[in-house]
Amino acid sequence: MKSKTIRVICLVVLAATLTGCAYWWRAYQTYQQMGEFDKYFTVVAAEDFTLKFKEPIMLSEDFVSLARLRPTEETPTPDGKHWRYWFHKIDGYKKRVSPAVEFHSDLNFNKNDKLAAWSFSSLFLEIAPPKFLEASLRSIGGGEINKDKMQLRGNTDAIEKIAADLPKKPAVVAKLGQPFEIKKEKDKEIYVYRFLLDTKTIDEGYEDRAISEVKLSFDNKTQELIRMAGRFAGLKISINYKKFQDKSADDS
């Protein structure tokens, strides 16, 4: 009950500071659905990863309002429309690398212009393994809202742990190539990659959002990918994989 009260207070504060921003309200309603994940969502993981919305709420322009970026491709479909965001790996001069390293994120909207499915392509799954990505999404339902930073922190304690191995550094580098930068710390190395979003338009003052800096933390001892943090088209993602992993998997 206390947790519910806190969320209501946060909602009131957000509504007061964002008067007229209906897209924030729809985003908050979608967040509330995360609390009953299996009732409102379905996950399909094969070559790509797709989150399906059983009772869609968010509209296509909500994403433009939140990210200040339009997709690379906008295509009408018999059931609505399809958007694709292409991300291309770049070098220190903001030029695409060759051979190309790229991934995409797809949004499918129904006839009512509501988000029905959100997909991530296979390369993205090299840094966000499907089981861990799903666990991260499920944790949002019990998360805490930071009203000052407008951020959401997932609750990993309530999520069933995953008995699965994490990607190793050689396998990740084989797919993504050499990083833009390597930061060395006592117990880990942080590989920094940069991707450029291929977008039609960018709102003035938000040009930096087209650059996605992805930080991958590898454990020095095990060489495992233990954390991923980045921003993709205005969406900030940070996953500490160790918080979702069943410790018994480390001994297997």
Side-chain angles (χ1 to χ4, degrees), residues 167-186:
K168 297 293 181 72
K169 182 165 61 178
V172 174
V173 173
K175 294 289 187 178
L176 270 63
Q178 290 301 311
F180 170 78
E181 181 183 6
I182 299 177
K183 299 180 180 179
K184 297 182 180 294
E185 297 187 3
K186 182 179 180 180

Side-chain angles (χ1 to χ4, degrees), residues 74-92:
E74 302 181 36
T75 309
T77 66
D79 298 322
K81 61 185 177 183
H82 170 263
W83 283 7
R84 171 165 289 183
Y85 290 84
W86 272 108
F87 298 86
H88 305 273
K89 183 184 175 185
I90 55 175
D91 59 22

Side-chain angles (χ1 to χ4, degrees), residues 30-166:
T30 303
Y31 155 73
Q32 287 184 309
Q33 289 183 335
M34 290 287 183
E36 298 180 82
F37 192 90
D38 292 311
K39 178 180 179 180
Y40 292 104
F41 304 94
T42 300
V43 168
V44 179
E47 290 187 4
D48 57 8
F49 178 98
T50 301
L51 178 67
K52 294 186 176 181
F53 297 71
K54 296 179 181 179
E55 296 184 21
I57 295 175
M58 295 192 70
L59 304 176
S60 61
E61 291 306 312
D62 291 342
F63 286 86
V64 178
S65 298
L66 289 165
R68 304 287 181 173
L69 299 165
R70 294 207 69 86
T72 312
E73 304 169 7
E74 302 181 36
T75 309
T77 66
D79 298 322
K81 61 185 177 183
H82 170 263
W83 283 7
R84 171 165 289 183
Y85 290 84
W86 272 108
F87 298 86
H88 305 273
K89 183 184 175 185
I90 55 175
D91 59 22
Y93 300 97
K94 298 182 181 180
K95 301 296 183 181
R96 296 183 188 181
V97 301
S98 181
V101 177
E102 57 194 14
F103 66 91
H104 57 79
S105 177
D106 291 347
L107 303 176
N108 287 304
F109 301 91
N110 61 23
K111 292 181 178 180
N112 297 318
D113 195 36
K114 294 184 177 181
L115 180 63
W118 192 345
S119 301
F120 297 89
S121 64
S122 58
L123 184 67
F124 184 79
L125 302 184
E126 297 293 333
I127 60 175
K131 291 183 179 179
F132 291 91
L133 182 55
E134 179 179 349
S136 178
L137 290 170
R138 288 179 176 274
S139 74
I140 292 175
E144 297 178 358
I145 296 176
N146 184 319
K147 66 179 187 298
D148 295 320
K149 296 183 179 180
M150 301 246 178
Q151 293 179 348
L152 184 63
R153 183 186 298 275
N155 177 17
T156 59
D157 295 334
I159 302 301
E160 183 177 348
K161 304 303 180 184
I162 301 168
D165 294 329
L166 289 167

